[in-house]
Amino acid sequence: MEGSAPRRTRIQQEKRELILEAALEVFSANGFRGSTIDQIAEAAGMSKPNLLYYFRRKEDIHETLMQRLLDTWLAPLRELDDIGDPMTELRSYIRRKLEMARDFPRESRLFANEILQGAPRIMPMLEGELKTLVEEKAAVIKGWMRAGKIARTDPWHLIFSIWATTQHYADFDVQVRAVLGPDRGGDGRFEDAARFLEQLFLDGLKPKV
Amino acid sequence: MEGSAPRRTRIQQEKRELILEAALEVFSANGFRGSTIDQIAEAAGMSKPNLLYYFRRKEDIHETLMQRLLDTWLAPLRELDDIGDPMTELRSYIRRKLEMARDFPRESRLFANEILQGAPRIMPMLEGELKTLVEEKAAVIKGWMRAGKIARTDPWHLIFSIWATTQHYADFDVQVRAVLGPDRGGDGRFEDAARFLEQLFLDGLKPKV
DNA sequence: CAAAATTTTGACCGGTTGGACAAACGTTAG
DNA sequence: CTAACGTTTGTCCAACCGGTCAAAATTTTG
């Protein structure tokens, strides 16, 4: 009975949340090796030994954070459904992904950091759960192509391109803002991006005749 | 006289190259803070004090690497020219960027690491040189739009989308290969990507009537 | 060859980091 | 109140890390 989930007091639940929030901030900005327990502890407003009372090892924090992330991270793709107009479905998938880049940039950067370092801690998940999910959705997209609802292309690379273009606004945010400058790079940049991406994925760049 | 470029012996030139090559390997895989001088020294086949004879500080290696990177990194965009057919120009820019992701993935990851950490060491260059270059090219693209050669959109976000989609194949390579699997993820994946991106940027996804 | 200059090495140092631990402190239930 | 349990803190440690230094080994030059 009650095998996996350890019983927790009220304080433990609260403090663990506090630590995870602080760790997300620190890890996403400095990477795993670039972050110290002291930094996380300070950001969480407690001493290092106190933090280590709630998470025995630095890796445990990162692992917990990563597990939580993955669920919410794939939610938009999971929602991509066969019901409804294909073009509308894709458009709203892009919009959802872009909203995640806007609202959860730290999560995006945490994920990017992990992949950049070769995904040492989540490789099984990529080859298992993620691969399966993408295969499933690629099949749906192929169906749309066969039905003549969208142009024929490679569904896998289509998904990659949506990931790349949307996550770019979280992962490369510093560069985006630097290049756009103070005026163009304000809060409106996400709406500009949404408009551009919609047009790109719909009509491409060829001029209308 | 002879102000900036220090005179170097044959051995110094060779060994410095060796170190930079090793450092590119290590830094791009682990980030700056995640890499140790010992790792780089071992990868370069020498002892740590010996390495420090050629580069006095760890940061010097990273800085030298970064300076070299930036020149080659922006070369494809610099080549984007007003002469020739606009659609062809864009297509070959995309192709060149994708070839760089294929042939220089470590350079791409080094850059991505730097931006992810908030670009602490190259911020001035982003706000200066890069911003100016992009503004210049955005003006060229705007000209094409005014002339009706390509569809009207935001030139800045167009450039971002090209960067994002192409660099994705270097920075997220592990994920790409994991999702595509052994068969689809072989050497042919870059040609598949090239075909897909060409179609995306030309025609988008709307079905042809 | 021999002196001068360059390159390589081993030993060492101070600061940081992840983590252990016992003692002190606070809370809660009988 | 008090015993039991949960929480917090100060102290400490061993490993690691960036970097120094003097001496030894090697290469270059006259």
Side-chain angles (χ1 to χ4, degrees):
Chain A
M1 312 272 129
E2 68 128 24
S4 49
R7 206 171 288 162
R8 301 229 161 87
T9 68
R10 177 187 54 89
I11 294 185
Q12 272 171 357
Q13 283 175 14
E14 289 172 6
K15 291 293 170 81
R16 282 176 64 97
E17 286 309 314
L18 217 91
I19 292 168
L20 289 172
E21 159 66 25
L24 175 60
E25 189 73 28
V26 176
F27 278 143
S28 68
N30 308 108
F32 181 76
R33 280 216 52 185
S35 307
T36 70
I37 300 184
D38 269 312
Q39 277 173 39
I40 301 172
E42 199 197 326
M46 62 180 75
S47 66
K48 181 171 69 170
N50 197 182
L51 183 147
L52 284 166
Y53 171 70
Y54 294 102
F55 290 91
R56 311 262 292 265
R57 296 176 310 146
K58 185 184 173 186
E59 259 195 87
D60 291 347
I61 312 177
H62 192 264
E63 201 183 308
T64 307
L65 220 45
M66 211 51 105
Q67 279 169 3
R68 291 205 186 179
L69 166 62
L70 292 176
D71 285 334
T72 56
W73 206 239
L74 295 179
L77 185 55
R78 285 217 176 78
E79 284 179 44
L80 189 76
D81 238 326
D82 212 347
I83 32 179
D85 176 52
M87 214 60 237
T88 314
E89 278 290 318
L90 278 176
R91 215 165 49 205
S92 73
Y93 174 49
I94 294 170
R95 192 169 16 87
R96 279 198 302 270
K97 278 293 283 181
L98 193 60
E99 276 163 10
M100 291 203 58
R102 183 193 61 196
D103 299 335
F104 305 104
R106 298 177 306 177
E107 281 82 350
S108 186
R109 271 176 229 132
L110 184 67
F111 189 78
N113 254 309
E114 176 70 10
I115 302 286
L116 255 187
Q117 321 284 309
R121 299 159 218 276
I122 59 166
M123 198 44 155
M125 178 274 180
L126 296 184
E127 288 170 329
E129 205 181 336
L130 180 63
K131 183 169 187 287
T132 310
L133 178 62
V134 173
E135 253 155 26
E136 194 186 312
K137 298 307 178 181
V140 171
I141 294 173
K142 269 187 178 168
W144 292 341
M145 292 178 185
R146 245 179 275 116
K149 299 286 190 176
I150 66 171
R152 288 182 183 274
T153 11
D154 188 313
W156 279 270
H157 291 278
L158 168 57
I159 292 174
F160 292 153
S161 70
I162 294 174
W163 289 350
T165 49
T166 54
Q167 290 174 13
H168 188 79
Y169 290 97
D171 303 341
F172 286 69
D173 181 53
V174 190
Q175 181 181 247
V176 166
R177 287 208 319 269
V179 167
L180 288 180
D183 31 328
R184 247 179 265 274
D187 292 339
R189 68 187 188 278
F190 281 97
E191 284 160 43
D192 294 344
R195 257 193 304 276
F196 167 79
L197 289 178
E198 176 155 343
Q199 183 183 336
L200 173 66
F201 281 95
L202 242 70
D203 297 314
L205 298 174
K206 213 190 296 186
K208 294 187 178 162
V209 275
Chain B
M1 313 268 131
E2 67 127 26
S4 51
R7 207 170 287 163
R8 300 233 161 86
T9 67
R10 178 187 54 91
I11 293 187
Q12 272 171 357
Q13 283 176 14
E14 288 172 8
K15 291 293 170 81
R16 281 174 65 96
E17 284 310 312
L18 216 92
I19 291 168
L20 289 172
E21 158 66 26
L24 175 60
E25 189 73 28
V26 176
F27 279 143
S28 69
N30 307 109
F32 181 76
R33 279 215 54 185
S35 307
T36 70
I37 299 184
D38 270 311
Q39 277 173 38
I40 300 171
E42 200 197 324
M46 61 180 76
S47 65
K48 180 171 67 170
N50 197 183
L51 182 148
L52 285 166
Y53 171 71
Y54 294 103
F55 290 91
R56 312 260 293 262
R57 294 177 309 146
K58 184 185 174 185
E59 260 195 87
D60 291 347
I61 312 177
H62 191 263
E63 202 183 306
T64 307
L65 221 43
M66 212 50 106
Q67 278 170 2
R68 291 204 186 179
L69 167 62
L70 292 177
D71 286 333
T72 56
W73 205 238
L74 295 179
L77 184 55
R78 285 217 177 80
E79 285 179 43
L80 190 76
D81 238 326
D82 211 347
I83 32 179
D85 177 53
M87 214 59 237
T88 314
E89 278 292 318
L90 279 176
R91 215 166 48 206
S92 72
Y93 174 49
I94 294 170
R95 192 169 15 87
R96 279 197 302 270
K97 279 293 283 181
L98 193 59
E99 277 163 9
M100 291 203 57
R102 183 193 60 195
D103 299 336
F104 305 104
R106 298 177 306 176
E107 280 83 351
S108 185
R109 270 178 230 133
L110 183 67
F111 189 78
N113 255 308
E114 176 70 10
I115 302 287
L116 255 186
Q117 319 285 309
R121 297 160 221 273
I122 59 167
M123 198 42 156
M125 178 274 181
L126 296 185
E127 289 170 329
E129 204 182 335
L130 181 63
K131 182 169 188 286
T132 309
L133 178 63
V134 172
E135 252 155 26
E136 193 186 312
K137 299 306 178 181
V140 171
I141 295 174
K142 269 187 177 168
W144 292 341
M145 292 176 185
R146 246 180 276 116
K149 298 287 190 176
I150 66 172
R152 288 181 183 276
T153 11
D154 188 314
W156 280 270
H157 291 278
L158 170 56
I159 292 174
F160 292 154
S161 70
I162 294 175
W163 290 349
T165 48
T166 54
Q167 290 173 13
H168 187 81
Y169 290 97
D171 304 341
F172 286 69
D173 181 53
V174 189
Q175 182 181 246
V176 166
R177 287 209 319 269
V179 167
L180 288 179
D183 31 329
R184 247 179 266 272
D187 293 338
R189 69 188 187 277
F190 282 96
E191 285 161 42
D192 294 344
R195 257 192 304 276
F196 167 79
L197 289 178
E198 177 157 341
Q199 183 183 337
L200 173 66
F201 281 94
L202 243 70
D203 298 313
L205 298 173
K206 213 192 291 184
K208 295 185 178 161
V209 274

